[in-house]
Amino acid sequence: MAATPVRRLTDDVPAEVEARLRRMCLGLPDAYEERAWVGTRWRVRTRTFVHVLGIEDPVDGASVTMTFRAAGEELEALRHAGPPFRVLGWGRDAMGLTLGPDTDWDEVAELVVESYCVLAPKKLVALVDRPGPA
């Protein structure tokens, strides 16, 4: 009996994608970058607010995914949004976004800031310029 193909996590992230995320993430107070067990992650204190990695799926093929955190109404909306968003199945507020040629980088920038604000200490969140409620 043949083994079932398994999804594999990889470091295969295009340099331009990583560079774009790096600029967004490192622009936030006290944020820093480090290599993760696979891919690259950006953290505030010891908490990861963005992680980017490659995924090789035997059914869906290769993709690049950004994991991030969300809260409140935004989290609920993203949970039901469908592709390119997906619930990761770990962490009550963890989401994934498949990055590709059609990615809305303005939306990614908003998600990065919100993810940071979900995890950062309040004194650092107060330093972040973000729009208030509509």
Side-chain angles (χ1 to χ4, degrees):
M1 177 156 57
T4 304
V6 178
R7 185 176 72 163
R8 235 174 43 94
L9 306 179
T10 73
D11 288 318
D12 295 336
V13 175
E16 64 273 8
V17 168
E18 194 169 286
R20 255 181 140 149
L21 288 171
R22 178 176 293 118
R23 282 190 302 275
M24 291 175 196
C25 293
L26 295 181
L28 296 165
D30 285 356
Y32 63 96
E33 176 180 322
E34 67 181 24
R35 295 293 307 154
W37 64 96
V38 63
T40 302
R41 64 184 173 191
W42 290 272
R43 305 182 95 189
V44 57
R45 301 295 195 254
T46 60
R47 305 182 83 189
T48 301
F49 66 93
V50 169
H51 182 185
V52 65
L53 64 150
I55 298 177
E56 291 179 4
D57 188 286
V59 175
D60 297 328
S63 63
V64 174
T65 296
M66 177 183 91
T67 69
F68 62 97
R69 303 298 177 126
E73 291 178 12
E74 181 179 35
L75 176 60
E76 286 309 308
L78 292 171
R79 282 184 174 160
H80 297 93
F85 294 97
R86 69 173 168 263
V87 176
L88 296 174
W90 54 264
R92 70 185 187 292
D93 57 0
M95 291 294 301
L97 170 63
T98 302
L99 303 174
D102 298 329
T103 295
D104 178 344
W105 286 96
D106 290 333
E107 181 177 34
V108 170
E110 291 173 17
L111 295 170
V112 165
V113 169
E114 287 306 310
S115 182
Y116 173 89
C117 291
V118 168
L119 297 177
K122 289 179 184 170
K123 69 180 184 176
L124 293 178
V125 172
L127 301 173
V128 176
D129 182 25
R130 62 184 183 155

